[in-house]
């Protein structure tokens, strides 16, 4: 029986049909770019201080009632306390001056009982100013980011399996709808609790949409076009969305209007339903040969080529004579070798995710202009994805992934050597790390689709992406380690990257091999030798160990 690429070779690799699929899927990924980082602006904390009620105070006392602190060698007004109002009022009524008659350091302080005044130099409003997520409530800010990624994690776990059962196309559009609709509803949040609940539901569709689009395109396209799409195409769509975010946020400084600007235009993606087909590979895997042939015949008309009388020769007979092999998530851990490889792959993707989001969210802290730093951080991804595409075409997968992890680790360790005050050098090093980890991320996405059989492709990528999202969930708290030691987050991320590079040595290679369609295709591959386990296992060992890459 001929392979899928051989059956559809008459279509060519990049005719009009493939171009439509390629570009529409890439465009559908754009919302993931700004959706993942919207909280950089929605949840930023402007400078603030205690509100002073409109009471009978002299101008001198009104200006002096907020204590002055020295933070990192700089003086600034306290954000969470003020001198006691009753004491200050009495001193003001008695005619005492804060400049001459009173030692302010002896006065008792109190919390901001009347709320806060927030600077509007950068933002008109954020969820922090809307729901007062400061001082004793500041724990809610990193928790908000974490809860979003918890939604992403849950969505990744279930969407991958649903995609293998229900199809790539339905899950693609359902998850896109989740992002669009619930981002819009968030505008009407009346409390932080309501906002976070809606944020979790929004997160359910975030990476799930990306993975569904990635797998769908990788299964429809063939040859070098598939490599181009899986690396440069999908990732560039994400990067474009990433760069659009700070541009929109620069002109729209109110959090509610920003959500509207980012969500409402996404309604234009839903007519894509009539132009993007279901994956013929998946349909064949489900023994729905006639539907797969109908899609390819329509593609032949679009490409203006003649389709043969029987396109998938041998598939019809196989569908009627061979029992359908059941697959489940348990196929990833059927034996010790497969389980070992699954753990390694999950750890590598976990490290990639923690490093990627850690650098992305930290970049805005290294430059005075949040909008510019976010835009540059997104723009760096474009050459990174070009590099991942070139690496996929010409370099071993393992060698490429190891190289990006080592470069990211070196950057993390070198950050500690930058002298105080050299913010430009720190920012440059951060962008080198962003380039390295983004290149690795692009490689991992494409690598994953090459390693899994069609029946398990989305399930396996979903599981690995689920574990990866644990890395993104801990990122906000990982960055909080700066309060204990400035460079502690870099040391942690660098160490994780070194261990991941060593673990990658044990992963299988897929460079130059065809995309597997079945478990039988995987079983033909050579055994991957694991130094920790006996080598007398069945060839099935090799099979799914490949699979766990996301």
């Amino acid at each position: 029986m001929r392979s899928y690429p051989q059956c559809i070779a008459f279509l060519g690799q990049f005719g009009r049909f493939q171009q439509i699929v390629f570009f529409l899927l890439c465009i559908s990924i754009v919302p993931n770019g700004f959706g993942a980082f919207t909280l950089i602006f929605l949840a930023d904390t402007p400078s603030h201080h205690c509100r002073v009620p409109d009471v009978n105070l002299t101008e001198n006392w009104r200006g002096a009632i907020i204590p002055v602190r020295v933070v990192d060698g700089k003086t600034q007004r306290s954000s969470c306390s003020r001198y006691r109002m009753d004491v200050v009022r009495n001193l003001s009524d008695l005619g005492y001056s804060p400049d001459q008659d009173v030692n302010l350091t002896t006065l008792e302080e109190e919390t901001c009982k009347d709320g806060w005044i927030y600077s509007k130099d950068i933002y008109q409003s954020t969820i922090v100013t809307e729901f007062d997520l400061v001082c004793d409530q500041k724990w809610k800010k990193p928790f908000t980011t974490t809860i979003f990624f918890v939604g992403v994690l849950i969505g990744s776990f279930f969407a991958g399996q649903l995609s293998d059962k229900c199809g790539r196309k339905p899950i693609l559009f359902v998850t896109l709808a989740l992002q669009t609709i619930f981002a819009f509803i968030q505008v009407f949040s009346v409390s932080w609790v309501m906002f976070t609940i809606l944020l979790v539901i929004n997160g359910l569709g975030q990476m799930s949409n990306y993975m569904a689009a990635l797998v769908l395109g990788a299964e429809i396209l063939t040859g070098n076009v598939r490599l181009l799409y899986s690396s440069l195409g999908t990732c560039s769509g994400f990067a474009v969305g990433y760069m659009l975010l700070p541009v929109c946020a620069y002109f729209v400084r109110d959090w509610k209007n920003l959500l509207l600007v980012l969500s409402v235009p996404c309604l234009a993606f839903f007519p894509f339903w009539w132009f993007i087909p279901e994956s013929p590979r998946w349909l064949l895997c489900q023994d729905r040969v006639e539907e797969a042939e109908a899609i390819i015949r329509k593609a032949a008309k679009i490409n203006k080529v003649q389709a043969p009388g029987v396109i998938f020769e041998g598939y019809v007979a196989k569908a009627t004579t061979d029992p359908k092999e059941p697959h489940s998530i348990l196929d990833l851990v059927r034996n010790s070798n497969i389980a070992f490889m699954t753990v390694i792959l999950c750890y590598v993707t976990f490290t990639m995710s923690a490093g990627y989001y850690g650098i992305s969210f930290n970049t805005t802290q290294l430059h005075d202009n949040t909008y510019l730093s976010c835009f540059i951080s997104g723009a760096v991804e474009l050459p990174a994805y070009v590099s991942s595409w070139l690496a996929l075409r010409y370099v071993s997968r393992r060698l490429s992934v190891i190289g990006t992890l080592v470069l990211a680790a070196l950057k993390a360790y070198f950050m500690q050597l930058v002298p105080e005050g050299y913010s430009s050098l720190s920012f440059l090093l951060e962008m080198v790390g962003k380039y390295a980890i983004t290149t690795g991320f692009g490689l991992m996405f494409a690598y994953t689709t090459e390693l899994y059989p069609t029946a398990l492709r989305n399930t396996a990528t979903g599981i690995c992406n689920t574990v990866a999202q644990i890395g993104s969930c801990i990122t906000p708290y990982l960055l909080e380690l700066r309060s204990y030691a400035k460079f502690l987050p870099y040391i942690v991320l660098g160490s994780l990257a070194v261990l991941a590079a060593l673990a990658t040595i044990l992963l299988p290679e897929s460079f130059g091999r065809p995309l597997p369609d079945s478990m039988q295709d995987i079983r033909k591959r050579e055994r991957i030798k694991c130094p920790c386990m006996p080598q007398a296992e069945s060839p099935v060992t090799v099979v799914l160990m490949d699979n766990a890459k996301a």
Side-chain angles (χ1 to χ4, degrees):
M1 185 175 65
R2 294 187 303 166
S3 66
Y4 175 82
Q6 291 172 331
C7 290
I8 67 167
F10 66 92
L11 284 179
Q13 285 198 7
F14 205 47
R16 188 178 178 186
F17 168 75
Q18 289 94 335
Q19 292 170 13
I20 292 173
V21 171
F22 187 105
F23 291 112
L24 291 186
L25 286 176
C26 289
I27 294 172
S28 74
I29 290 172
V30 169
N32 291 276
F34 51 72
F37 301 106
T38 307
L39 288 173
I40 290 177
F41 301 101
L42 295 185
D44 202 4
T45 304
S47 58
H48 54 281
H49 59 80
C50 293
R51 182 185 297 276
V52 179
D54 189 14
V55 294
N56 186 25
L57 289 178
T58 65
E59 286 301 317
N60 283 345
W61 276 109
R62 185 170 289 276
I65 194 171
I66 306 298
V68 175
R69 305 274 191 252
V70 177
V71 180
D72 294 331
K74 299 178 181 179
T75 58
Q76 62 184 42
R77 304 177 79 183
S78 173
S79 300
C80 299
S81 64
R82 67 186 184 191
Y83 295 120
R84 282 184 52 179
M85 281 296 303
D86 55 342
V87 174
V88 169
R89 190 182 298 113
N90 289 337
L91 292 173
S92 178
D93 291 343
L94 293 173
Y96 287 105
S97 168
D99 300 325
Q100 300 175 350
D101 305 323
V102 178
N103 181 1
L104 295 178
T105 59
T106 64
L107 298 182
E108 188 177 350
E109 297 181 11
E110 64 182 4
T111 59
C112 301
K113 296 181 178 180
D114 299 294
W116 292 264
I117 296 292
Y118 297 96
S119 170
K120 293 190 176 183
D121 292 342
I122 300 177
Y123 306 103
Q124 288 298 309
S125 68
T126 68
I127 64 168
V128 172
T129 66
E130 183 82 11
F131 305 121
D132 289 330
L133 309 183
V134 293
C135 300
D136 60 337
Q137 298 295 308
K138 68 180 180 180
W139 63 269
K140 293 180 178 178
K141 177 183 173 180
F143 184 76
T144 301
T145 304
T146 295
I147 205 69
F148 170 74
F149 285 113
V150 168
V152 177
L153 183 153
I154 296 171
S156 299
F157 181 81
F158 289 105
Q161 298 175 68
L162 288 173
S163 183
D164 280 336
K165 287 180 170 35
C166 305
R168 290 34 171 144
K169 181 178 175 180
I171 299 304
L172 169 64
F173 284 92
V174 167
T175 52
L176 183 60
L178 283 175
Q179 294 180 72
T180 303
I181 295 171
F182 283 92
F184 176 79
I185 298 176
Q186 280 180 280
V187 173
F188 305 98
S189 299
V190 295
S191 67
W192 174 76
V193 172
M194 179 180 176
F195 180 88
T196 52
I197 291 174
L198 294 173
L199 189 65
V200 171
I201 302 175
N202 183 342
L204 293 175
Q206 179 56 223
M207 285 306 293
S208 304
N209 170 51
Y210 185 99
M211 297 307 298
L214 172 67
V215 172
L216 179 57
E219 291 181 348
I220 293 176
L221 303 170
T222 59
N224 290 331
V225 177
R226 176 175 61 81
L227 279 181
L228 180 66
Y229 171 80
S230 299
S231 54
L232 189 57
T234 55
C235 296
S236 294
F238 185 92
V240 168
Y242 193 167
M243 289 188 291
L244 283 176
L245 172 63
V247 174
C248 294
Y250 179 81
F251 292 103
V252 184
R253 304 295 180 97
D254 175 78
W255 74 272
K256 292 184 177 181
N257 290 330
L258 179 58
L259 276 177
L260 287 174
V261 168
L262 295 176
S263 61
V264 173
C266 294
L267 294 173
F269 296 145
F270 291 101
F272 290 5
W273 174 273
W274 287 274
F275 300 96
I276 298 175
E278 181 55 271
S279 165
R281 281 183 185 264
W282 179 81
L283 291 171
L284 291 172
C285 181
Q286 302 298 310
D287 297 338
R288 293 158 62 178
V289 182
E290 291 183 359
E291 294 177 57
E293 284 212 356
I295 291 173
I296 299 302
R297 291 191 186 281
K298 184 177 179 180
K301 289 182 180 179
I302 295 174
N303 285 1
K304 297 180 180 180
V305 297
Q306 183 65 41
V310 178
I311 298 176
F312 297 110
E313 185 178 356
Y315 280 89
V316 176
K318 180 178 180 294
T320 57
T321 60
D322 291 349
K324 187 176 174 181
E325 185 179 357
H327 299 291
S328 71
I329 190 174
L330 296 178
D331 286 324
L332 300 178
V333 290
R334 288 293 185 190
N335 60 45
S336 58
N337 200 6
I338 295 171
F340 177 76
M341 295 306 302
T342 302
V343 169
I344 292 180
L345 290 164
C346 287
Y347 173 69
V348 173
T349 52
F350 167 87
T351 301
M352 290 280 191
S353 182
Y356 177 80
Y357 287 104
I359 294 174
S360 297
F361 282 107
N362 187 58
T363 297
T364 57
Q365 307 298 319
L366 299 177
H367 197 282
D368 293 334
N369 190 321
T370 303
Y371 302 99
L372 181 60
S373 62
C374 185
F375 182 84
I376 294 174
S377 182
V380 165
E381 296 200 0
L382 291 177
Y385 294 136
V386 172
S387 298
S388 66
W389 171 60
L390 292 173
L392 286 168
R393 288 204 65 178
Y394 302 112
V395 186
S396 155
R397 304 293 186 256
R398 272 184 303 212
L399 182 61
S400 302
V401 172
I402 291 171
T404 60
L405 287 167
V406 169
L407 181 57
L410 289 174
K411 164 263 163 187
Y413 293 134
F414 284 155
M415 285 291 289
Q416 305 170 64
L417 305 178
V418 178
E420 192 73 29
Y422 285 76
S423 58
S424 297
L425 180 56
S426 296
F427 187 77
L428 177 62
L429 274 178
E430 195 83 339
M431 289 301 97
V432 171
K434 180 65 182 294
Y435 166 82
I437 207 72
T438 302
T439 301
F441 234 150
L443 290 166
M444 292 297 289
F445 281 129
Y447 196 2
T448 303
T449 61
E450 296 176 345
L451 293 169
Y452 288 107
T454 303
L456 282 174
R457 189 168 289 123
N458 244 40
T459 295
T461 55
I463 292 301
C464 288
N465 191 47
T466 298
V467 176
Q469 295 314 314
I470 297 176
S472 56
C473 288
I474 69 170
T475 295
Y477 297 100
L478 181 62
L479 296 178
E480 289 295 320
L481 293 176
R482 289 175 298 197
S483 59
Y484 301 99
K486 183 177 180 181
F487 296 106
L488 188 54
Y490 293 112
I491 295 173
V492 173
L493 290 174
S495 301
L496 287 173
V498 169
L499 292 175
L502 294 173
T504 302
I505 298 173
L506 301 175
L507 294 179
E509 184 57 69
S510 64
F511 182 58
R513 296 176 178 173
L515 197 66
D517 286 317
S518 65
M519 297 294 289
Q520 287 76 14
D521 293 338
I522 300 287
R523 288 169 184 147
K524 295 174 184 177
R525 294 183 177 177
E526 75 280 0
R527 183 188 306 278
I528 303 299
K529 296 181 179 179
C530 170
C532 310
M533 297 182 181
Q535 299 303 313
E537 296 189 2
S538 155
V540 179
T541 298
V542 184
V543 178
L544 297 173
M545 66 181 185
D546 294 339
N547 297 8
K549 187 140 247 173

